[in-house]
Amino acid sequence: MEAEGRLLGPPLPAGGEGPGIESHLSEGALGTARGPLLAAAEVLALDDEEDDLEVFSKDTSLAEVNSFSPSVPISPSSMINQYKFEDGPELRDLFITVDDPESHITAIETFITYRVVTKTTRGEFDSSEYEVRRRYQDFLWLKSRLEEAHPTLIIPPLPEKFIMKGMVERFSDEFIETRRKALHKFLNRIADHPTLTFNEDFKIFLTAQAWELSSHKKQGPGLLSRMGQTVRAVASSVRGAVKNRPEMFTEMHNYMETFSQKINLLDKIAHRIYKEERDYFNEMKEYGPIHTLWSASEEDIADSLKGIASCIDRCCRATEKRMAGLSEHLLPILHEYVLYSEILMGVLKRRDQIQGELDSKVDALANKKTEKDQFSEEIGRLEDKVEHANNALKADWDRWKQNMQWDMRSTFTNVAENNLRYYEESQTRLHFQILLQKMPS
Amino acid sequence: MESTEPEPSDSRPEEEEEEEEEEEEEEEEEDGALLPPEQPLAAVEDCLAKKMEITVSEAEKRTGRNAMNIQETYTAYLIETRAVESQIEGQCAPVESLWRRYSEFELLRNYLSVTYPHIVVPPLPEKRLSADNMDPDFVERRRIGLENFLLRVASHPVLCQDKIFYAFLMQEGGWKEMVNETGFQLKADSRLKALNATFRVKNPDKRFTELKHYSDELQSVISHLLRVRARVADRLYGVYKVHGNYGRVFSEWSAIEKEMGDGLQSAGHHMDVYAASIDDILEEEEHYADQLKEYLFYAEALRAVCRKHELMQYDLEMAAQDLTSKKQQCEELATGTVRTFSLKGMTSKLFGQETPEQREAKIKVLEEQIREGEEQLKSKNLEGRDFVKSAWADIERFKEQKNHDLKEALISYAVMQISMCKKGIQVWTNAKECFSKM
């Protein structure tokens, strides 16, 4: 049970399981800025200590809109612009938005709910429009249901539960906005998925009122059965499920190991770049005004000085925009794929486990000559299961890779465009300034 | 910086006043102003800088024994000069050269400051007291600064004609002795005297007071600007260099990708280029910073001229005060009235008056002193006014030079920034193309 009020001091690592009541963190304690500039060699070496969590910390220098009512586009056409649909926009029949975070305070706890709006033309939905409120716990429930139903499909990542490593205020505007965007993405990726989009729990999640959802949740396999699965999974993974693994999945496994490593590095690099840009911005803010101050003691060169001051200010504003671009696009995408890499490793493991079940039964059959019929029926069932799992994973893997490629291409292109815009804006102002200088006064 | 001299400003008051070089010119005594003798101004075309190429071309580590016979390491700088004659058939005059160390430059500057107190003497690059005077970057920038100093002196209408300066450039041996023989150290004003004058002077020329304020402001704002610029440069360095990490990771990632591989790999290469480009950019900016720094140090030279004026003015005021009190004494003695309290007056009341002969003698002495005093006051007045006039002329020259130089520096800064933007645009355009092919 959680007490009211806030804990002081560093957050205690909360236990992982269950419908956790999120613990309060000390308010207003933020990560400290990085220390003095590193030499070239140091800058190039990123190690595990570089846990930059700018995305989650309060940053008042950002020009981001205060996000208690974020301007999330509701209209379908603008949602289409947000990311690609494999089947083409005209085939889309389910549109979901997540917005309007609201704080709820009860005697026991404080939590945030988000509004989930669904618009659809599908026949299996009773209505064409739904509006419900969901909290993070509900999303967790949905994800675990999907994982159970489709163990070898790639279920999209959810934003993390806690941020353990920094002293971050859990309910900071920026944290909530980042989470909201990630939840929005989560639901839309499911809607996009050829199989998951028709999942019954997904439909209930989108349409049920709060009490309906609670009662439905209680019907599912409880905590115990999930734990049972975990135990079995661990047991079977120990027993060389790897040995009969088809070549294709070994390749996937190797790929994911490298991919996971690289994407984590990129995530760190991107955060570091963001931080460096912010530090640069902070110094630049002071740089321009000095020129203006100087111009006050001068006559002949006052105009030149003021001109340089305005160029520097323009550059400052352009830097702000560049930073905003990073935090809106690159950072969330890289983070999502960091989570994806964990998910994929998990999916590969589960596939191995399913195969492991079959293999162990086959081994057992080899030892027991009796009860052959019973066994062979079970083995047949398991063989089907393995084949189904493998096919599902293969298809989903291909789909995931395509999406990943598309996402990376568009995100990094966006980064390049941001930088181009930054340099072009700065350059324009400078050109103009030089023209002014050279004009006879 | 290249070894062409900084362009002397085009319109200078001295040029309009004097065309001849050699003769002392006596103007009419409308305002009693005589330019200091033996210091005619050189016209622009005859400044040493135009007649001679001057460079500080090399720096070399040396070891030797100093004045206290202690072994030390120092850097010596090679000064090369060559007469610029009309070049017939591509013939060049031979290059002459000699080595000088920083302390000799300092000696030269001190000599010039004392000998020409009405001139804003160009500053030397800074005397760095911290650890590494041997650091090659520091030595290189100092070399450029020293060359700049020599060129500034050589283009100054007054300073360029100084014999000691010429000997500094041409005569390796015995130069130090030559300087010391001028006895300039004796002419130097003590700091204490100058400080005293600054506080007590009653009627300094307002323009000098304003100039002093200006030079304080200039120094403060330029040093603030340089500090922030250095921090901005550090941050910018960080931004660029971190992008270099992309290169490495993209390259490693591309190894496991089939379709994306090429795009990633080549994009990574552009990120490397981007990260490397900052080095040249920042080096250029250092030159810009040095240009500003020169004017930071010029502020001190301006203040020195103001101080000299305050000293002379104070001296004048004291002399006038002294004369007035002597005249009063004389009058009192002559008329027997005591207008002001004086110990003498009291004692004579107490102990009886002096004899008329004694009084006469005193009066005679005082009258002689008064006559001398009046002569001195007259000449001090003249000196003071001459100083103000010639100092102000050089200050106007300096102002034009400063405005010109700083404006050019600011323009060149903008040009540098544009060049940086251009490079950025090029790199990111290439990177964008690579990304779009992923």
Side-chain angles (χ1 to χ4, degrees):
Chain A
M1 292 298 282
E2 193 67 27
E4 292 172 40
R6 296 169 192 269
L7 294 171
L8 297 170
L12 305 168
E17 281 307 328
I21 296 174
E22 301 166 39
S23 60
H24 300 279
L25 296 176
S26 164
E27 184 176 32
L30 305 168
T32 52
R34 188 133 297 269
L37 177 75
L38 306 173
E42 290 177 51
V43 167
L44 289 178
L46 292 176
D47 54 33
D48 287 332
E49 288 158 11
E50 303 226 9
D51 275 322
D52 288 307
L53 298 167
E54 277 66 28
V55 171
F56 301 102
S57 70
K58 190 177 283 189
D59 190 337
T60 52
S61 69
L62 270 192
E64 276 193 38
V65 173
N66 185 301
S67 63
F68 250 73
S69 28
S71 51
V72 173
I74 303 278
S75 72
S77 55
S78 52
M79 277 195 292
I80 285 167
N81 288 333
Q82 280 184 31
Y83 53 93
K84 153 204 175 259
F85 298 165
E86 319 163 48
D87 304 322
E90 58 283 357
L91 295 178
R92 197 107 168 95
D93 59 2
L94 188 64
F95 300 96
I96 308 172
T97 55
V98 176
D99 61 16
D100 189 31
E102 245 176 40
S103 196
H104 294 257
I105 306 175
T106 71
I108 308 170
E109 54 176 351
T110 307
F111 58 91
I112 305 254
T113 62
Y114 302 83
R115 184 176 73 154
V116 179
V117 174
T118 309
K119 295 187 185 160
T120 178
T121 54
R122 284 193 197 161
E124 54 269 34
F125 285 78
D126 294 332
S127 164
S128 63
E129 198 168 321
Y130 292 89
E131 184 176 316
V132 296
R133 293 208 78 95
R134 297 284 177 251
R135 56 184 292 189
Y136 184 76
Q137 265 180 39
D138 302 329
F139 287 83
L140 277 176
W141 168 83
L142 175 61
K143 182 165 159 82
S144 67
R145 292 291 291 166
L146 292 174
E147 279 170 351
E148 271 174 53
H150 308 281
T152 58
L153 286 186
I154 301 169
I155 315 297
L158 268 182
E160 287 117 322
K161 208 164 151 77
F162 303 106
I163 309 301
M164 306 303 284
K165 293 153 203 169
M167 297 279 278
V168 174
E169 186 183 341
R170 188 169 62 108
F171 291 140
S172 82
D173 290 352
E174 202 171 317
F175 177 83
I176 291 169
E177 173 60 11
T178 307
R179 180 175 266 198
R180 183 201 64 75
K181 280 199 245 186
L183 294 175
H184 175 93
K185 204 107 194 259
F186 172 72
L187 291 180
N188 276 284
R189 286 216 191 260
I190 296 173
D192 231 0
H193 193 290
T195 309
L196 296 177
T197 191
F198 297 111
N199 179 282
E200 190 59 28
D201 288 314
F202 182 49
K203 176 156 170 278
I204 292 174
F205 178 92
L206 293 176
T207 59
Q209 289 309 303
W211 62 267
E212 288 174 322
L213 182 65
S214 306
S215 86
H216 177 82
K217 275 192 200 180
K218 289 183 175 116
Q219 292 163 21
L223 183 60
L224 280 163
S225 81
R226 267 187 280 141
M227 279 177 65
Q229 271 182 13
T230 314
V231 170
R232 270 201 305 265
V234 169
S236 70
S237 71
V238 171
R239 249 181 299 147
V242 186
K243 71 174 185 236
N244 288 329
R245 189 199 279 156
E247 178 70 24
M248 163 171 58
F249 297 110
T250 303
E251 279 173 19
M252 277 186 205
H253 183 89
N254 293 338
Y255 173 89
M256 269 331 288
E257 272 190 350
T258 309
F259 179 85
S260 169
Q261 203 187 56
K262 300 312 160 196
I263 203 72
N264 270 285
L265 277 175
L266 286 175
D267 183 58
K268 284 199 179 117
I269 294 171
H271 276 99
R272 183 60 187 279
I273 290 179
Y274 181 85
K275 184 198 155 296
E276 296 287 344
E277 283 188 10
R278 190 188 55 189
D279 289 343
Y280 172 69
F281 170 74
N282 284 333
E283 296 294 349
M284 284 291 267
K285 268 195 300 194
E286 203 186 323
Y287 192 38
I290 300 177
H291 293 78
T292 310
L293 182 68
W294 185 359
S295 71
S297 350
E298 298 286 345
E299 285 164 16
D300 279 31
I301 59 173
D303 286 337
S304 304
L305 286 167
K306 283 192 251 191
I308 295 284
S310 87
C311 288
I312 293 174
D313 288 340
R314 165 65 72 95
C315 190
C316 242
R317 284 199 292 278
T319 297
E320 253 188 324
K321 279 197 237 169
R322 190 168 61 165
M323 274 164 42
L326 271 188
S327 94
E328 272 167 34
H329 296 115
L330 184 66
L331 297 181
I333 279 277
L334 287 179
H335 191 69
E336 198 185 1
Y337 276 90
V338 165
L339 295 175
Y340 254 130
S341 64
E342 286 167 25
I343 288 167
L344 274 154
M345 293 299 260
V347 166
L348 286 169
K349 263 211 190 75
R350 280 202 292 279
R351 193 221 65 89
D352 283 348
Q353 282 156 22
I354 292 173
Q355 180 164 329
E357 276 178 48
L358 170 65
D359 290 347
S360 65
K361 273 284 191 278
V362 166
D363 287 344
L365 178 62
N367 297 336
K368 289 184 182 177
K369 306 300 176 182
T370 57
E371 304 161 25
K372 214 163 32 148
D373 297 331
Q374 211 183 13
F375 260 75
S376 62
E377 193 188 314
E378 213 176 317
I379 285 177
R381 186 177 58 80
L382 285 174
E383 277 171 347
D384 282 343
K385 191 174 174 192
V386 167
E387 192 180 330
H388 174 79
N390 286 353
N391 291 340
L393 177 53
K394 176 70 175 65
D396 221 18
W397 171 270
D398 289 337
R399 189 179 158 271
W400 179 85
K401 280 220 73 185
Q402 265 204 356
N403 278 347
M404 185 272 288
Q405 190 171 340
W406 194 92
D407 281 338
M408 291 300 159
R409 182 180 348 128
S410 94
T411 296
F412 280 106
T413 306
N414 175 274
V415 166
E417 281 168 355
N418 279 346
N419 276 287
L420 281 172
R421 214 174 357 251
Y422 164 78
Y423 283 113
E424 274 158 7
E425 275 179 29
S426 304
Q427 189 186 44
T428 309
R429 188 72 191 82
L430 286 160
H431 269 311
F432 181 60
Q433 184 52 39
I434 292 198
L435 243 73
L436 281 182
Q437 307 266 38
K438 297 216 155 137
M439 269 162 41
S441 49
Chain B
M1 284 209 205
E2 313 113 47
S3 60
T4 57
E5 76 273 14
E7 286 168 35
S9 52
D10 287 319
S11 60
R12 294 188 335 231
E14 302 89 9
E15 245 204 296
E16 285 151 19
E17 285 176 16
E18 284 221 297
E19 302 297 24
E20 301 84 29
E21 313 167 23
E22 305 295 350
E23 296 116 65
E24 303 168 351
E25 192 185 39
E26 280 176 319
E27 295 180 314
E28 290 171 27
E29 291 237 349
E30 334 145 316
D31 48 3
L34 254 181
L35 292 165
E38 303 152 36
Q39 286 171 28
L41 298 169
V44 178
E45 314 81 58
D46 289 309
C47 269
L48 194 60
K50 286 271 196 259
K51 292 199 255 189
M52 181 191 270
E53 275 173 29
I54 305 173
T55 58
V56 176
S57 48
E58 277 172 46
E60 209 177 77
K61 254 200 260 199
R62 300 265 178 92
T63 51
R65 293 198 171 276
N66 67 7
M68 291 171 288
N69 210 31
I70 296 172
Q71 186 92 338
E72 59 169 2
T73 336
Y74 62 91
T75 311
Y77 298 89
L78 182 66
I79 303 178
E80 288 182 327
T81 51
R82 172 162 67 191
V84 174
E85 295 167 355
S86 46
Q87 315 221 314
I88 318 161
E89 298 159 20
Q91 266 187 349
C92 279
V95 171
E96 313 220 11
S97 65
L98 46 72
W99 292 89
R100 294 268 183 232
R101 56 185 293 189
Y102 187 80
S103 57
E104 292 175 280
F105 280 85
E106 275 186 309
L107 183 58
L108 172 65
R109 188 172 188 280
N110 288 341
Y111 161 79
L112 291 173
S113 306
V114 171
T115 313
Y116 304 91
H118 60 293
I119 300 285
V120 183
V121 178
L124 282 173
E126 63 192 323
K127 188 180 182 60
R128 187 151 91 171
L129 308 162
S130 68
D132 207 1
N133 284 347
M134 296 293 138
D135 163 39
D137 282 336
F138 174 75
V139 167
E140 174 58 15
R141 287 170 56 200
R142 179 175 264 195
R143 182 192 67 74
I144 293 172
L146 291 175
E147 183 178 288
N148 190 51
F149 167 76
L150 292 178
L151 291 172
R152 291 269 194 217
V153 175
S155 4
H156 192 284
V158 171
L159 301 177
C160 71
Q161 300 184 65
D162 186 275
K163 306 244 178 330
I164 298 285
F165 173 60
Y166 189 78
F168 181 86
L169 295 174
M170 308 301 289
Q171 178 188 323
E172 185 145 27
W175 177 79
K176 266 208 197 130
E177 289 72 16
M178 195 179 168
V179 183
N180 291 327
E181 269 166 30
T182 64
F184 79 93
Q185 283 102 338
L186 302 169
K187 286 192 249 164
D189 301 310
S190 83
R191 273 300 234 188
L192 197 55
K193 221 170 121 197
L195 201 60
N196 190 41
T198 301
F199 283 127
R200 296 195 178 182
V201 68
K202 297 202 181 76
N203 274 326
D205 185 318
K206 278 211 170 51
R207 292 178 297 175
F208 285 94
T209 315
E210 279 168 20
L211 185 66
K212 216 168 43 151
H213 286 148
Y214 170 76
S215 69
D216 287 340
E217 277 170 15
L218 187 71
Q219 182 172 24
S220 147
V221 84
I222 292 185
S223 59
H224 189 196
L225 194 154
L226 287 173
R227 268 199 310 275
V228 177
R229 191 213 66 86
R231 291 205 300 264
V232 167
D234 272 351
R235 293 300 170 202
L236 194 61
Y237 183 82
V239 172
Y240 272 73
K241 285 302 178 190
V242 183
H243 278 82
N245 288 297
Y246 273 145
R248 185 173 51 93
V249 179
F250 280 171
S251 171
E252 291 164 3
W253 181 9
S254 72
I256 56 171
E257 297 291 344
K258 295 195 190 81
E259 286 154 38
M260 281 170 67
D262 288 338
L264 271 177
Q265 177 89 311
S266 42
H269 164 73
H270 293 300
M271 291 296 100
D272 286 335
V273 170
Y274 183 66
S277 67
I278 192 66
D279 294 314
D280 285 342
I281 290 169
L282 287 185
E283 200 182 305
E284 260 197 272
E285 263 202 27
E286 292 292 331
H287 290 306
Y288 168 70
D290 282 341
Q291 286 177 290
L292 293 185
K293 231 184 222 177
E294 193 194 10
Y295 279 93
L296 177 67
F297 299 142
Y298 254 124
E300 181 52 40
L302 276 177
R303 267 204 296 275
V305 176
C306 296
R307 272 201 300 271
K308 183 67 181 178
H309 164 73
E310 284 168 346
L311 241 165
M312 291 180 77
Q313 179 67 14
Y314 179 67
D315 205 34
L316 181 67
E317 287 171 4
M318 287 293 106
Q321 199 176 316
D322 190 55
L323 186 64
T324 310
S325 93
K326 285 206 163 67
K327 282 188 175 162
Q328 248 175 25
Q329 277 180 37
C330 206
E331 197 192 312
E332 282 166 18
L333 281 179
T335 61
T337 57
V338 180
R339 258 192 285 158
T340 56
F341 173 80
S342 78
L343 201 53
K344 265 213 169 66
M346 290 315 292
T347 54
S348 59
K349 273 220 166 100
L350 289 170
F351 298 113
Q353 298 280 1
E354 317 158 293
T355 67
E357 294 82 19
Q358 281 176 327
R359 212 168 353 128
E360 273 304 314
K362 278 206 182 116
I363 289 174
K364 255 207 161 48
V365 168
L366 274 174
E367 275 175 351
E368 184 58 38
Q369 283 178 341
I370 287 169
R371 254 197 302 282
E372 275 176 26
E374 271 171 349
E375 284 297 313
Q376 273 200 357
L377 192 62
K378 196 162 159 205
S379 79
K380 277 194 178 115
N381 233 322
L382 229 63
E383 266 179 42
R385 288 213 291 233
D386 283 348
F387 178 86
V388 166
K389 184 161 187 230
S390 53
W392 208 256
D394 196 56
I395 285 164
E396 290 298 334
R397 180 206 61 82
F398 168 78
K399 276 190 190 163
E400 281 199 38
Q401 174 198 298
K402 172 207 79 164
N403 288 334
H404 174 268
D405 287 350
L406 288 178
K407 197 162 184 190
E408 291 285 303
L410 291 171
I411 290 180
S412 83
Y413 182 71
V415 169
M416 261 190 278
Q417 300 300 306
I418 287 180
S419 147
M420 178 173 92
C421 290
K422 279 206 166 68
K423 286 186 198 162
I425 288 173
Q426 190 179 49
V427 162
W428 285 103
T429 304
N430 292 337
K432 178 176 167 180
E433 207 181 302
C434 296
F435 288 136
S436 64
K437 291 198 186 129
M438 273 174 20

